[in-house]
Amino acid sequence: MSRDQNLNAFLYFEAVARRGTLTRAAEELSVSPSAVSQQIKQLEQQLGVKLFRRNGRALSLTLEGEQLFQASAAAISMLREAHRHLGRARESRRLNLRVAPSFGVRWLGPRLHDFIARHPDWDIRVDAAPDPTDFEREIMDLDIRYGLGAWTGFHVAPVVRDHMLPLCSPAYLEEIGGADTPEALFSRARLIDSARNLCQWDFWLRRNGIETAENRKAALMDRSSMALQLAVDGAGVVLESLALALPEVREGRLVPVTPGLPVLSYPAHWATCPTRYLNRRAVRLFMDWLTEQAAAHEAEIAQVEADLGLVEVEIDAPVELVGGAAPQRLSG
């Protein structure tokens, strides 16, 4: 084939031979019928043969046209299959992930550079949103949800536990300190709640036998990250998990208010997806990496608790936290 052979003409020819008319081929190719006709004429001139017999608007292949159609159809089919294969290969190096906003910013975000460094050829898209993924309608590989893990019809694997305890800034602890009893201490404090946490102040106080005034000072934040920042700024005591507050605790910007009372631990963050998605390479790689990161994180929390003299109590049935209800919600 000469270098100046018009390869595009073969595409037009194959479409006309398959569809039977110039008009149908033009519609498929999104061009005008005259453009298709011109390409066919040029191809016939270049090859020196007639490719079609014309009967009004209908076209039928000559013997030479039939031979060329068989060859061009096979070649174009191979090209289309290669295009689909390369497209699938490109998609296999892309990970679409949904995660709760505060968990994404405070836990996953600081670790993602490690995953990217290990897989530099991969694209990753993280959607930080409080709504659970509709896997049937959305392009998403994995959803890291916060809750009780009671999502039917999905693969659900525990990833990170909550480790709940009251925290505040050193300056605020000094401000409310000097109380003889936990009741007196918490009656003086402003209690900061994160609205989406499974473990709320009412449960924590009741479990530890601490009574406070019904009109106690409070602050309710919609996101854990907002509640933690408020506590760091010295506005009150936050009931939050070391899973999200570990940097501030490790740096001393937040300190335990009641180190003599146990840290409550329970499964809280779960990797979820349709079971069939586990066959996806992206999901398998990320799940392996996530498991490794979570194990290192739990070991770090255990060390911080030991350094601070904290005792942890595991709650086997976290449904206890919400009085038997099972809210299907995500963390902030």
Tab-separated table of all heavy atoms in Angstrom, residues 165-226:
chain	number	residue	atom	x	y	z
A	165	LEU	N	-13.019	8.804	73.725
A	165	LEU	CA	-12.699	9.352	75.041
A	165	LEU	C	-12.850	10.870	75.001
A	165	LEU	O	-12.765	11.472	73.928
A	165	LEU	CB	-11.280	8.979	75.474
A	165	LEU	CG	-10.096	9.700	74.802
A	165	LEU	CD1	-8.831	9.469	75.628
A	165	LEU	CD2	-9.905	9.307	73.360
A	166	PRO	N	-13.082	11.499	76.152
A	166	PRO	CA	-13.177	12.970	76.208
A	166	PRO	C	-11.789	13.599	76.075
A	166	PRO	O	-10.832	13.167	76.720
A	166	PRO	CB	-13.775	13.240	77.588
A	166	PRO	CG	-14.343	11.932	78.045
A	166	PRO	CD	-13.476	10.883	77.434
A	167	LEU	N	-11.703	14.630	75.240
A	167	LEU	CA	-10.443	15.329	74.989
A	167	LEU	C	-10.679	16.827	75.034
A	167	LEU	O	-11.746	17.317	74.681
A	167	LEU	CB	-9.886	14.947	73.613
A	167	LEU	CG	-9.560	13.478	73.356
A	167	LEU	CD1	-9.408	13.235	71.859
A	167	LEU	CD2	-8.288	13.082	74.098
A	168	CYS	N	-9.645	17.561	75.453
A	168	CYS	CA	-9.700	19.019	75.392
A	168	CYS	C	-8.285	19.560	75.330
A	168	CYS	O	-7.310	18.814	75.470
A	168	CYS	CB	-10.462	19.602	76.590
A	168	CYS	SG	-9.592	19.458	78.166
A	169	SER	N	-8.175	20.856	75.147
A	169	SER	CA	-6.854	21.479	75.121
A	169	SER	C	-6.297	21.542	76.540
A	169	SER	O	-7.051	21.569	77.521
A	169	SER	CB	-6.944	22.880	74.534
A	169	SER	OG	-7.637	23.741	75.438
A	170	PRO	N	-4.966	21.551	76.692
A	170	PRO	CA	-4.380	21.672	78.034
A	170	PRO	C	-4.865	22.922	78.770
A	170	PRO	O	-5.117	22.873	79.983
A	170	PRO	CB	-2.872	21.729	77.758
A	170	PRO	CG	-2.700	21.022	76.456
A	170	PRO	CD	-3.934	21.359	75.656
A	171	ALA	N	-5.016	24.029	78.038
A	171	ALA	CA	-5.459	25.261	78.688
A	171	ALA	C	-6.888	25.126	79.198
A	171	ALA	O	-7.212	25.601	80.307
A	171	ALA	CB	-5.354	26.429	77.703
A	172	TYR	N	-7.748	24.470	78.430
A	172	TYR	CA	-9.135	24.321	78.868
A	172	TYR	C	-9.225	23.357	80.049
A	172	TYR	O	-10.040	23.566	80.960
A	172	TYR	CB	-10.007	23.821	77.717
A	172	TYR	CG	-11.479	23.907	78.008
A	172	TYR	CD1	-12.145	25.123	77.933
A	172	TYR	CD2	-12.213	22.783	78.380
A	172	TYR	CE1	-13.501	25.221	78.212
A	172	TYR	CE2	-13.569	22.868	78.657
A	172	TYR	CZ	-14.202	24.092	78.578
A	172	TYR	OH	-15.545	24.183	78.859
A	173	LEU	N	-8.395	22.323	80.058
A	173	LEU	CA	-8.396	21.395	81.192
A	173	LEU	C	-7.979	22.119	82.466
A	173	LEU	O	-8.548	21.877	83.539
A	173	LEU	CB	-7.446	20.228	80.913
A	173	LEU	CG	-7.395	19.147	81.996
A	173	LEU	CD1	-8.776	18.519	82.206
A	173	LEU	CD2	-6.365	18.073	81.644
A	174	GLU	N	-7.037	23.024	82.353
A	174	GLU	CA	-6.628	23.806	83.519
A	174	GLU	C	-7.757	24.726	83.972
A	174	GLU	O	-7.978	24.926	85.177
A	174	GLU	CB	-5.385	24.624	83.177
A	174	GLU	CG	-4.823	25.410	84.353
A	174	GLU	CD	-3.545	26.138	83.996
A	174	GLU	OE1	-3.009	25.898	82.900
A	174	GLU	OE2	-3.087	26.953	84.826
A	175	GLU	N	-8.509	25.225	83.007
A	175	GLU	CA	-9.617	26.123	83.330
A	175	GLU	C	-10.725	25.418	84.097
A	175	GLU	O	-11.315	25.990	85.018
A	175	GLU	CB	-10.173	26.710	82.026
A	175	GLU	CG	-11.357	27.648	82.202
A	175	GLU	CD	-11.894	28.138	80.869
A	175	GLU	OE1	-11.115	28.219	79.904
A	175	GLU	OE2	-13.102	28.428	80.788
A	176	ILE	N	-11.039	24.171	83.733
A	176	ILE	CA	-12.140	23.454	84.391
A	176	ILE	C	-11.648	22.487	85.450
A	176	ILE	O	-12.444	21.781	86.073
A	176	ILE	CB	-12.974	22.676	83.358
A	176	ILE	CG1	-12.122	21.590	82.685
A	176	ILE	CG2	-13.584	23.600	82.328
A	176	ILE	CD1	-12.912	20.644	81.811
A	177	GLY	N	-10.345	22.424	85.660
A	177	GLY	CA	-9.776	21.450	86.584
A	177	GLY	C	-10.064	21.791	88.039
A	177	GLY	O	-10.728	22.770	88.373
A	178	GLY	N	-9.547	20.934	88.922
A	178	GLY	CA	-9.720	21.140	90.353
A	178	GLY	C	-11.011	20.588	90.904
A	178	GLY	O	-11.317	20.758	92.088
A	179	ALA	N	-11.793	19.895	90.058
A	179	ALA	CA	-13.054	19.320	90.533
A	179	ALA	C	-12.787	18.026	91.281
A	179	ALA	O	-11.880	17.266	90.941
A	179	ALA	CB	-13.985	19.069	89.357
A	180	ASP	N	-13.598	17.774	92.324
A	180	ASP	CA	-13.433	16.562	93.122
A	180	ASP	C	-14.016	15.335	92.438
A	180	ASP	O	-13.578	14.218	92.686
A	180	ASP	CB	-14.100	16.738	94.499
A	180	ASP	CG	-13.425	17.835	95.315
A	180	ASP	OD1	-12.208	18.029	95.134
A	180	ASP	OD2	-14.115	18.479	96.119
A	181	THR	N	-15.011	15.535	91.606
A	181	THR	CA	-15.697	14.412	90.981
A	181	THR	C	-15.857	14.664	89.484
A	181	THR	O	-15.855	15.816	89.035
A	181	THR	CB	-17.101	14.212	91.585
A	181	THR	OG1	-17.896	15.374	91.304
A	181	THR	CG2	-17.011	13.990	93.094
A	182	PRO	N	-16.023	13.581	88.707
A	182	PRO	CA	-16.308	13.778	87.277
A	182	PRO	C	-17.574	14.593	87.040
A	182	PRO	O	-17.652	15.372	86.093
A	182	PRO	CB	-16.451	12.345	86.750
A	182	PRO	CG	-15.667	11.505	87.688
A	182	PRO	CD	-15.835	12.155	89.029
A	183	GLU	N	-18.573	14.424	87.939
A	183	GLU	CA	-19.809	15.188	87.783
A	183	GLU	C	-19.529	16.678	87.842
A	183	GLU	O	-20.043	17.458	87.017
A	183	GLU	CB	-20.821	14.807	88.870
A	183	GLU	CG	-21.508	13.469	88.670
A	183	GLU	CD	-20.672	12.321	89.195
A	183	GLU	OE1	-19.514	12.565	89.635
A	183	GLU	OE2	-21.155	11.174	89.163
A	184	ALA	N	-18.712	17.075	88.812
A	184	ALA	CA	-18.398	18.490	88.953
A	184	ALA	C	-17.585	18.989	87.754
A	184	ALA	O	-17.818	20.095	87.234
A	184	ALA	CB	-17.620	18.727	90.250
A	185	LEU	N	-16.658	18.161	87.285
A	185	LEU	CA	-15.816	18.560	86.156
A	185	LEU	C	-16.657	18.769	84.899
A	185	LEU	O	-16.544	19.801	84.231
A	185	LEU	CB	-14.748	17.497	85.919
A	185	LEU	CG	-13.674	17.814	84.870
A	185	LEU	CD1	-12.350	17.165	85.248
A	185	LEU	CD2	-14.092	17.340	83.489
A	186	PHE	N	-17.523	17.797	84.591
A	186	PHE	CA	-18.304	17.903	83.363
A	186	PHE	C	-19.445	18.910	83.484
A	186	PHE	O	-19.967	19.378	82.479
A	186	PHE	CB	-18.828	16.526	82.943
A	186	PHE	CG	-17.763	15.635	82.352
A	186	PHE	CD1	-17.265	14.564	83.061
A	186	PHE	CD2	-17.244	15.900	81.097
A	186	PHE	CE1	-16.280	13.753	82.526
A	186	PHE	CE2	-16.266	15.093	80.546
A	186	PHE	CZ	-15.766	14.011	81.265
A	187	SER	N	-19.829	19.235	84.705
A	187	SER	CA	-20.836	20.285	84.876
A	187	SER	C	-20.258	21.655	84.548
A	187	SER	O	-20.974	22.563	84.131
A	187	SER	CB	-21.375	20.265	86.308
A	187	SER	OG	-22.094	19.068	86.549
A	188	ARG	N	-18.955	21.814	84.743
A	188	ARG	CA	-18.303	23.081	84.414
A	188	ARG	C	-17.999	23.206	82.931
A	188	ARG	O	-17.872	24.312	82.407
A	188	ARG	CB	-16.976	23.194	85.180
A	188	ARG	CG	-17.097	23.222	86.689
A	188	ARG	CD	-15.710	23.308	87.287
A	188	ARG	NE	-15.749	23.223	88.749
A	188	ARG	CZ	-14.671	23.234	89.522
A	188	ARG	NH1	-13.479	23.328	88.948
A	188	ARG	NH2	-14.785	23.148	90.833
A	189	ALA	N	-17.837	22.065	82.260
A	189	ALA	CA	-17.323	22.076	80.883
A	189	ALA	C	-18.424	22.276	79.854
A	189	ALA	O	-19.581	21.933	80.085
A	189	ALA	CB	-16.597	20.763	80.604
A	190	ARG	N	-18.039	22.836	78.740
A	190	ARG	CA	-18.907	22.819	77.564
A	190	ARG	C	-18.617	21.528	76.810
A	190	ARG	O	-17.471	21.253	76.454
A	190	ARG	CB	-18.639	24.022	76.667
A	190	ARG	CG	-19.533	24.060	75.413
A	190	ARG	CD	-19.260	25.281	74.555
A	190	ARG	NE	-19.530	26.503	75.304
A	190	ARG	CZ	-20.734	27.049	75.441
A	190	ARG	NH1	-21.795	26.457	74.901
A	190	ARG	NH2	-20.888	28.157	76.139
A	191	LEU	N	-19.647	20.722	76.567
A	191	LEU	CA	-19.474	19.425	75.921
A	191	LEU	C	-19.719	19.554	74.418
A	191	LEU	O	-20.796	19.954	73.982
A	191	LEU	CB	-20.431	18.398	76.526
A	191	LEU	CG	-20.337	18.227	78.054
A	191	LEU	CD1	-21.225	17.082	78.506
A	191	LEU	CD2	-18.892	18.004	78.489
A	192	ILE	N	-18.695	19.220	73.663
A	192	ILE	CA	-18.761	19.324	72.202
A	192	ILE	C	-19.109	17.961	71.621
A	192	ILE	O	-18.426	16.970	71.873
A	192	ILE	CB	-17.414	19.799	71.623
A	192	ILE	CG1	-17.002	21.135	72.254
A	192	ILE	CG2	-17.499	19.923	70.103
A	192	ILE	CD1	-15.583	21.562	71.891
A	193	ASP	N	-20.185	17.903	70.873
A	193	ASP	CA	-20.629	16.674	70.224
A	193	ASP	C	-20.404	16.757	68.725
A	193	ASP	O	-20.573	17.816	68.122
A	193	ASP	CB	-22.131	16.456	70.461
A	193	ASP	CG	-22.388	15.267	71.389
A	193	ASP	OD1	-21.594	14.302	71.326
A	193	ASP	OD2	-23.364	15.307	72.157
A	194	SER	N	-20.030	15.639	68.120
A	194	SER	CA	-20.051	15.507	66.667
A	194	SER	C	-21.327	14.749	66.317
A	194	SER	O	-21.521	13.606	66.726
A	194	SER	CB	-18.819	14.736	66.177
A	194	SER	OG	-18.865	14.583	64.782
A	195	ALA	N	-22.196	15.401	65.577
A	195	ALA	CA	-23.563	14.894	65.391
A	195	ALA	C	-23.617	13.519	64.756
A	195	ALA	O	-24.568	12.775	64.975
A	195	ALA	CB	-24.356	15.882	64.539
A	196	ARG	N	-22.614	13.142	63.980
A	196	ARG	CA	-22.675	11.883	63.242
A	196	ARG	C	-21.978	10.728	63.940
A	196	ARG	O	-21.992	9.606	63.431
A	196	ARG	CB	-22.095	12.079	61.835
A	196	ARG	CG	-22.876	13.086	61.009
A	196	ARG	CD	-22.199	13.373	59.677
A	196	ARG	NE	-22.907	14.417	58.950
A	196	ARG	CZ	-23.835	14.186	58.024
A	196	ARG	NH1	-24.161	12.953	57.720
A	196	ARG	NH2	-24.447	15.184	57.418
A	197	ASN	N	-21.357	10.982	65.091
A	197	ASN	CA	-20.695	9.895	65.798
A	197	ASN	C	-21.707	8.905	66.361
A	197	ASN	O	-22.774	9.279	66.843
A	197	ASN	CB	-19.851	10.446	66.953
A	197	ASN	CG	-18.497	10.944	66.481
A	197	ASN	OD1	-18.078	10.660	65.357
A	197	ASN	ND2	-17.808	11.683	67.325
A	198	LEU	N	-21.351	7.629	66.337
A	198	LEU	CA	-22.203	6.616	66.961
A	198	LEU	C	-22.268	6.819	68.469
A	198	LEU	O	-23.317	6.665	69.090
A	198	LEU	CB	-21.665	5.218	66.655
A	198	LEU	CG	-21.813	4.717	65.210
A	198	LEU	CD1	-21.127	3.371	65.066
A	198	LEU	CD2	-23.271	4.616	64.835
A	199	CYS	N	-21.136	7.121	69.072
A	199	CYS	CA	-21.059	7.296	70.526
A	199	CYS	C	-21.217	8.775	70.877
A	199	CYS	O	-20.348	9.590	70.570
A	199	CYS	CB	-19.725	6.764	71.041
A	199	CYS	SG	-19.579	6.789	72.841
A	200	GLN	N	-22.328	9.112	71.509
A	200	GLN	CA	-22.623	10.488	71.886
A	200	GLN	C	-22.409	10.680	73.398
A	200	GLN	O	-22.253	9.723	74.154
A	200	GLN	CB	-24.068	10.826	71.514
A	200	GLN	CG	-24.381	10.681	70.024
A	200	GLN	CD	-23.809	11.817	69.190
A	200	GLN	OE1	-23.719	12.954	69.658
A	200	GLN	NE2	-23.416	11.514	67.962
A	201	TRP	N	-22.405	11.934	73.808
A	201	TRP	CA	-22.155	12.248	75.213
A	201	TRP	C	-23.154	11.564	76.147
A	201	TRP	O	-22.775	11.066	77.207
A	201	TRP	CB	-22.219	13.757	75.431
A	201	TRP	CG	-20.911	14.464	75.234
A	201	TRP	CD1	-20.598	15.352	74.255
A	201	TRP	CD2	-19.731	14.339	76.042
A	201	TRP	NE1	-19.296	15.795	74.384
A	201	TRP	CE2	-18.744	15.182	75.489
A	201	TRP	CE3	-19.418	13.600	77.173
A	201	TRP	CZ2	-17.472	15.306	76.027
A	201	TRP	CZ3	-18.139	13.711	77.720
A	201	TRP	CH2	-17.189	14.554	77.149
A	202	ASP	N	-24.428	11.550	75.798
A	202	ASP	CA	-25.425	10.957	76.693
A	202	ASP	C	-25.088	9.508	77.010
A	202	ASP	O	-25.190	9.074	78.157
A	202	ASP	CB	-26.828	11.048	76.070
A	202	ASP	CG	-27.386	12.455	76.116
A	202	ASP	OD1	-26.881	13.264	76.921
A	202	ASP	OD2	-28.313	12.752	75.349
A	203	PHE	N	-24.708	8.750	75.969
A	203	PHE	CA	-24.340	7.356	76.211
A	203	PHE	C	-23.083	7.263	77.064
A	203	PHE	O	-23.014	6.484	78.025
A	203	PHE	CB	-24.114	6.624	74.887
A	203	PHE	CG	-23.519	5.261	75.080
A	203	PHE	CD1	-24.319	4.177	75.406
A	203	PHE	CD2	-22.150	5.061	74.968
A	203	PHE	CE1	-23.767	2.926	75.620
A	203	PHE	CE2	-21.591	3.812	75.180
A	203	PHE	CZ	-22.402	2.734	75.502
A	204	TRP	N	-22.044	8.037	76.710
A	204	TRP	CA	-20.773	7.939	77.432
A	204	TRP	C	-20.953	8.300	78.909
A	204	TRP	O	-20.435	7.605	79.797
A	204	TRP	CB	-19.742	8.861	76.784
A	204	TRP	CG	-18.353	8.676	77.343
A	204	TRP	CD1	-17.396	7.820	76.910
A	204	TRP	CD2	-17.808	9.362	78.477
A	204	TRP	NE1	-16.281	7.918	77.697
A	204	TRP	CE2	-16.504	8.866	78.676
A	204	TRP	CE3	-18.285	10.325	79.347
A	204	TRP	CZ2	-15.670	9.315	79.693
A	204	TRP	CZ3	-17.456	10.785	80.375
A	204	TRP	CH2	-16.161	10.282	80.536
A	205	LEU	N	-21.669	9.374	79.190
A	205	LEU	CA	-21.896	9.783	80.576
A	205	LEU	C	-22.694	8.728	81.339
A	205	LEU	O	-22.372	8.383	82.481
A	205	LEU	CB	-22.625	11.122	80.611
A	205	LEU	CG	-21.824	12.337	80.095
A	205	LEU	CD1	-22.746	13.528	79.894
A	205	LEU	CD2	-20.684	12.684	81.057
A	206	ARG	N	-23.743	8.207	80.712
A	206	ARG	CA	-24.574	7.199	81.365
A	206	ARG	C	-23.781	5.926	81.635
A	206	ARG	O	-23.893	5.331	82.709
A	206	ARG	CB	-25.792	6.892	80.488
A	206	ARG	CG	-26.796	5.932	81.135
A	206	ARG	CD	-28.064	5.838	80.309
A	206	ARG	NE	-27.830	5.247	78.994
A	206	ARG	CZ	-27.848	5.925	77.864
A	206	ARG	NH1	-28.094	7.241	77.861
A	206	ARG	NH2	-27.623	5.327	76.704
A	207	ARG	N	-22.960	5.517	80.690
A	207	ARG	CA	-22.174	4.288	80.864
A	207	ARG	C	-21.176	4.418	82.002
A	207	ARG	O	-20.850	3.426	82.666
A	207	ARG	CB	-21.436	3.957	79.560
A	207	ARG	CG	-20.828	2.563	79.549
A	207	ARG	CD	-20.099	2.293	78.251
A	207	ARG	NE	-19.753	0.886	78.123
A	207	ARG	CZ	-18.731	0.300	78.750
A	207	ARG	NH1	-17.949	1.019	79.533
A	207	ARG	NH2	-18.490	-0.997	78.589
A	208	ASN	N	-20.678	5.624	82.238
A	208	ASN	CA	-19.706	5.841	83.304
A	208	ASN	C	-20.350	6.351	84.590
A	208	ASN	O	-19.642	6.742	85.522
A	208	ASN	CB	-18.627	6.826	82.830
A	208	ASN	CG	-17.686	6.196	81.804
A	208	ASN	OD1	-16.825	5.388	82.150
A	208	ASN	ND2	-17.858	6.559	80.543
A	209	GLY	N	-21.687	6.350	84.635
A	209	GLY	CA	-22.396	6.735	85.858
A	209	GLY	C	-22.212	8.189	86.235
A	209	GLY	O	-22.210	8.528	87.428
A	210	ILE	N	-22.081	9.065	85.239
A	210	ILE	CA	-21.853	10.484	85.501
A	210	ILE	C	-23.133	11.252	85.196
A	210	ILE	O	-23.674	11.171	84.092
A	210	ILE	CB	-20.696	11.027	84.635
A	210	ILE	CG1	-19.405	10.266	84.956
A	210	ILE	CG2	-20.515	12.528	84.848
A	210	ILE	CD1	-18.258	10.608	84.021
A	211	GLU	N	-23.633	11.966	86.179
A	211	GLU	CA	-24.834	12.773	85.994
A	211	GLU	C	-24.449	14.242	85.868
A	211	GLU	O	-23.640	14.761	86.634
A	211	GLU	CB	-25.785	12.586	87.174
A	211	GLU	CG	-26.349	11.173	87.294
A	211	GLU	CD	-27.369	11.058	88.408
A	211	GLU	OE1	-27.691	12.102	89.011
A	211	GLU	OE2	-27.843	9.935	88.667
A	212	THR	N	-25.035	14.893	84.883
A	212	THR	CA	-24.813	16.328	84.690
A	212	THR	C	-26.160	17.023	84.587
A	212	THR	O	-27.199	16.386	84.406
A	212	THR	CB	-24.015	16.602	83.393
A	212	THR	OG1	-24.744	16.092	82.283
A	212	THR	CG2	-22.645	15.950	83.454
A	213	ALA	N	-26.131	18.316	84.725
A	213	ALA	CA	-27.374	19.090	84.649
A	213	ALA	C	-27.978	18.970	83.257
A	213	ALA	O	-27.263	18.895	82.251
A	213	ALA	CB	-27.107	20.555	84.985
A	214	GLU	N	-29.301	18.925	83.198
A	214	GLU	CA	-29.977	18.814	81.907
A	214	GLU	C	-29.711	20.028	81.017
A	214	GLU	O	-29.729	19.924	79.792
A	214	GLU	CB	-31.480	18.643	82.118
A	214	GLU	CG	-31.850	17.297	82.760
A	214	GLU	CD	-33.349	17.132	82.843
A	214	GLU	OE1	-34.074	18.044	82.384
A	214	GLU	OE2	-33.805	16.099	83.364
A	215	ASN	N	-29.469	21.172	81.634
A	215	ASN	CA	-29.204	22.388	80.854
A	215	ASN	C	-27.706	22.659	80.725
A	215	ASN	O	-27.269	23.803	80.695
A	215	ASN	CB	-29.900	23.586	81.497
A	215	ASN	CG	-29.377	23.856	82.907
A	215	ASN	OD1	-28.725	22.995	83.518
A	215	ASN	ND2	-29.654	25.042	83.427
A	216	ARG	N	-26.916	21.582	80.680
A	216	ARG	CA	-25.459	21.738	80.572
A	216	ARG	C	-25.091	22.476	79.286
A	216	ARG	O	-25.817	22.442	78.294
A	216	ARG	CB	-24.785	20.360	80.585
A	216	ARG	CG	-25.118	19.511	79.373
A	216	ARG	CD	-24.403	18.178	79.418
A	216	ARG	NE	-24.667	17.398	78.207
A	216	ARG	CZ	-25.218	16.211	78.176
A	216	ARG	NH1	-25.618	15.644	79.311
A	216	ARG	NH2	-25.397	15.566	77.030
A	217	LYS	N	-23.935	23.114	79.319
A	217	LYS	CA	-23.448	23.837	78.143
A	217	LYS	C	-23.011	22.834	77.066
A	217	LYS	O	-22.394	21.813	77.383
A	217	LYS	CB	-22.269	24.729	78.527
A	217	LYS	CG	-22.638	25.872	79.462
A	217	LYS	CD	-21.412	26.666	79.850
A	217	LYS	CE	-20.494	25.827	80.754
A	217	LYS	NZ	-19.324	26.633	81.221
A	218	ALA	N	-23.380	23.133	75.842
A	218	ALA	CA	-23.090	22.176	74.777
A	218	ALA	C	-22.769	22.897	73.481
A	218	ALA	O	-23.063	24.083	73.304
A	218	ALA	CB	-24.275	21.229	74.569
A	219	ALA	N	-22.148	22.158	72.581
A	219	ALA	CA	-21.896	22.620	71.210
A	219	ALA	C	-22.015	21.410	70.306
A	219	ALA	O	-21.376	20.381	70.549
A	219	ALA	CB	-20.516	23.258	71.085
A	220	LEU	N	-22.845	21.502	69.300
A	220	LEU	CA	-23.075	20.383	68.389
A	220	LEU	C	-22.518	20.733	67.020
A	220	LEU	O	-22.960	21.695	66.390
A	220	LEU	CB	-24.573	20.068	68.296
A	220	LEU	CG	-24.969	18.902	67.392
A	220	LEU	CD1	-24.363	17.590	67.897
A	220	LEU	CD2	-26.484	18.794	67.290
A	221	MET	N	-21.562	19.943	66.560
A	221	MET	CA	-20.931	20.147	65.261
A	221	MET	C	-21.387	19.059	64.290
A	221	MET	O	-21.610	17.913	64.680
A	221	MET	CB	-19.407	20.111	65.382
A	221	MET	CG	-18.812	21.188	66.281
A	221	MET	SD	-18.992	22.863	65.596
A	221	MET	CE	-20.269	23.512	66.687
A	222	ASP	N	-21.477	19.420	63.017
A	222	ASP	CA	-21.935	18.476	62.004
A	222	ASP	C	-20.828	17.541	61.544
A	222	ASP	O	-21.108	16.498	60.980
A	222	ASP	CB	-22.488	19.248	60.802
A	222	ASP	CG	-23.121	18.332	59.777
A	222	ASP	OD1	-23.964	17.505	60.172
A	222	ASP	OD2	-22.778	18.423	58.588
A	223	ARG	N	-19.588	17.888	61.773
A	223	ARG	CA	-18.448	17.094	61.320
A	223	ARG	C	-17.458	16.906	62.457
A	223	ARG	O	-17.227	17.814	63.256
A	223	ARG	CB	-17.743	17.772	60.143
A	223	ARG	CG	-18.588	17.895	58.884
A	223	ARG	CD	-18.667	16.562	58.172
A	223	ARG	NE	-19.380	16.676	56.909
A	223	ARG	CZ	-20.667	16.428	56.760
A	223	ARG	NH1	-21.395	16.090	57.812
A	223	ARG	NH2	-21.247	16.522	55.577
A	224	SER	N	-16.826	15.731	62.487
A	224	SER	CA	-15.816	15.456	63.505
A	224	SER	C	-14.652	16.430	63.412
A	224	SER	O	-14.102	16.862	64.433
A	224	SER	CB	-15.296	14.023	63.349
A	224	SER	OG	-16.293	13.086	63.661
A	225	SER	N	-14.254	16.782	62.194
A	225	SER	CA	-13.128	17.699	62.038
A	225	SER	C	-13.439	19.060	62.663
A	225	SER	O	-12.562	19.695	63.268
A	225	SER	CB	-12.788	17.864	60.551
A	225	SER	OG	-13.929	18.242	59.810
A	226	MET	N	-14.693	19.517	62.557
A	226	MET	CA	-15.091	20.787	63.160
A	226	MET	C	-15.094	20.678	64.685
A	226	MET	O	-14.641	21.596	65.381
A	226	MET	CB	-16.472	21.187	62.662
A	226	MET	CG	-16.553	21.455	61.165
A	226	MET	SD	-18.256	21.659	60.586
A	226	MET	CE	-18.759	23.113	61.500
